[in-house]
Each structure stands twice: as C-alpha cells, then as structure tokens.
Amino acid sequence: MNPRLAAAFVTGLAVPMLAAMAALPRHGSPDQPIHTHVAREYIESGPETGNLVTAILLDYRGMDTFGEVVVIFVGLVAVLVLARHREPALPAASPSPIVAFIVRLVTPFIALFGFHVILSGLEVPGGGLQGAAILGGLVILNGFVFGPQHARSLLPGRLLPWLQGAGPLAFLAAGIVGGIATGFALGYPTHLPLLHEAMLMGVELGIGIGGALIFSRLYLALEDA
Amino acid sequence: MSELFDVVLLTLLILTALAVARARDLAAAAILFAAYSLMLCLLWLHRGAPDVALTEAAVGAGVTTLLFLVVIARTSR
C-alpha cells in the first residue's frame, strides 16, 4: 500500500476515535452507565467476601464461561485431528548448564504458584485460566529447554485423555449437581455453603488442570508437526 | 503522580510496540513483545484490573512468548 495513503487512512480513522474518547466519562467516575445499572446491583447483592470477577465468571454468566471452556477444548481437538504424531527427528539440543540449572530450580516453585493461583481465584485475583497458563507455560518452558520428550514425560499418562477435557467435564458436573440442588442448570446452592465451595473449587480445578494440559498438548503438536 | 505513572507506562508501551514492529531479528521481536505485555500488565494493574493483569502476564508474556520462540527455533535456526 502507498505509505501516504496509509497515513491518510490512519489519520482519518484516528480523528473520530479520539473525538469519541473525549466524550467518554472520566475513568472511575461513579455516575457512568456501567456503574449505575447491573454492576451496582451485583456488588450489593453478590457474595460478601471473595473475588467478584470469579463470582461473575462462574455464576452470573456461568453459561458463557462454560461455552468458552468448550471452545478451547474443541480447539485442541481440532489441532489433534490435524496433527499427526511423529517422533522428533532432531535430538534435543543440550542446554547450557546455567539455563538447565535455573529451569530445574524454578520449576517446582512455578508449579506451586500455578496451583495457588487456580485455588485462590475464589478469594483474590486469579483463577483457572490464569493458573492454566502458568502451568502450561511451565511445561512448554521445560520442553523448550530439555526437549519435547521431557515435556511429554511431565504429563500424566493414562488419565491424559480425561484430564484434557477436565474443564468442560467439571463444568458439566457442577451444572448437574447445581441443577439437582437448586432446580436451575448451573445454579449454585448458596444455602449449602460447603457444597457451593466444593463446586466452585471443582470448576476452577477443572479449568486449571484441563487448560494447562490443553496448552501443553498444543505445544507438543507444534513440536511434532 | 498517578497520572504521571500512566503516562510513563503508556509511552513505554508505544515505544515497545514500535520496537517490535521495527525489529529485524524475530527472536528479538518476540522478547520485545513480552516486554510489551509486561508493560500492559502493569497498566492493567494500575487501572484497577488485577485479574486482567494476571491473565496478561501469564498468557501474553508467558505462553505466547514461549510459543513464538518454539516456532522460531523450529523454523529458522
């Protein structure tokens, strides 16, 4: 494309965008529309303690999150259908001793932090997807440094097909249990605090572990391609 | 003071974005993109969205960068 034409196009696009930005309410002002309708209602009648973001993701719009979890799982299935397993022809390059030592040193701490992020997501910022990215990134890091065979050895063996689908499966189980307890699909029984907590934990763990394995398998499919 | 912090972060964000676009070496671009993600993560945190900041750090700076590096290692080097 002609650079002058491109510059004119971008400028023409920027002017209405900047004009629209000037009309936005100030950041954090309490009388802007998003703070006066649903959000206020939700903060006032939502959970007393805990992470409001998690409450909205798993309860208020739980069906949307269920759909997202299924989409990520279907993405992995599509990749696995297209990618054929092939033993890597190249042996893993031997990493420098410093890199190998550091990665071996930090691996258990990152793993612990990943599980902490998954499980503490109910109370503080965090949750299944973030923990999944941390754990999946850890597997990819190990594979990048020590070779894909090592990364594959970190994954569970026989349970892998089931654990990959842990996100949708845990969500489905929570939906059925909630349906029996409250009469609504994906309803959360607030009158049974222990069951409520267990359901939220189960869904977070399912998304976290399933998501981590999906990230890892996507990486391994890339290495085998 | 708070506004100044935002301005500094946004400036660094734009500079890293330009650096990614101008980098000749693909690996350097991937690393610069991780720096961009970390800058954006700090910005989210400062704007009061710690959940989004955590996602940005884990997905944007962590997994995406690693996948870029794996692809670069598998294709060009």
Side-chain angles (χ1 to χ4, degrees):
Chain A
M1 200 192 225
N2 187 337
R4 249 182 232 165
L5 198 68
F9 180 72
V10 170
T11 316
L13 217 61
V15 169
M17 278 172 81
L18 288 175
M21 275 194 67
L24 284 176
R26 263 186 72 79
H27 176 75
S29 78
D31 56 340
Q32 54 175 297
I34 65 158
H35 290 154
T36 52
H37 294 85
V38 183
R40 173 198 293 261
E41 183 72 23
Y42 201 78
I43 291 168
E44 278 168 3
S45 63
E48 298 225 335
T49 57
N51 184 356
L52 266 181
V53 175
T54 304
I56 288 175
L57 281 179
L58 291 190
D59 192 344
Y60 185 67
R61 35 152 288 180
M63 209 54 108
D64 293 26
T65 311
F66 186 25
E68 284 164 9
V69 170
V70 172
V71 164
I72 295 175
F73 178 67
V74 170
L76 173 71
V77 172
V79 168
L80 290 184
V81 166
L82 289 175
R84 255 169 302 160
H85 179 74
R86 187 169 60 83
E87 292 302 317
L90 297 166
S94 57
S96 94
I98 299 169
V99 173
F101 175 74
I102 293 291
V103 170
R104 258 194 219 107
L105 186 71
V106 296
T107 292
F109 293 102
I110 297 180
L112 190 65
F113 180 64
F115 280 105
H116 166 76
V117 166
I118 291 173
L119 289 175
S120 67
L122 300 179
E123 298 295 330
V124 294
L129 176 72
Q130 288 94 325
I134 293 170
L135 292 178
L138 182 65
V139 174
I140 300 174
L141 179 68
N142 272 277
F144 193 44
V145 173
F146 300 115
Q149 288 306 327
H150 181 73
R152 196 169 279 119
S153 74
L154 292 176
L155 305 183
R158 272 188 307 154
L159 280 175
L160 188 60
W162 287 98
L163 285 177
Q164 270 166 198
L169 287 175
F171 235 119
L172 201 63
I176 292 169
V177 170
I180 292 168
T182 64
F184 300 99
L186 266 182
Y188 289 99
T190 41
H191 56 286
L192 304 167
L194 206 64
L195 180 64
H196 187 191
E197 189 101 339
M199 280 167 65
L200 290 173
M201 281 290 193
V203 172
E204 289 281 27
L205 264 178
I207 296 175
I209 293 174
L213 290 174
I214 287 174
F215 277 123
S216 313
R217 289 301 303 271
L218 287 177
Y219 155 71
L220 287 173
L222 199 64
E223 283 282 9
D224 289 343
Chain B
M1 191 58 211
S2 178
E3 300 268 313
L4 183 68
F5 193 58
D6 272 355
V7 170
V8 170
L9 277 180
L10 277 170
T11 314
L12 284 171
L13 190 73
I14 293 169
L15 285 179
T16 41
L18 288 174
V20 173
R22 291 193 66 85
R24 306 302 303 168
D25 184 24
L26 283 178
I31 303 292
L32 280 167
F33 200 50
Y36 169 90
S37 280
L38 283 177
M39 224 67 78
L40 197 57
C41 161
L42 285 179
L43 208 57
W44 290 126
L45 200 59
H46 193 236
R47 285 269 137 183
D51 280 271
V52 187
L54 200 52
T55 313
E56 181 70 44
V59 179
V63 174
T64 316
T65 308
L66 278 167
L67 284 179
F68 277 145
L69 289 177
V70 168
V71 171
I72 293 167
R74 290 282 296 182
T75 49
S76 60
R77 297 183 178 202

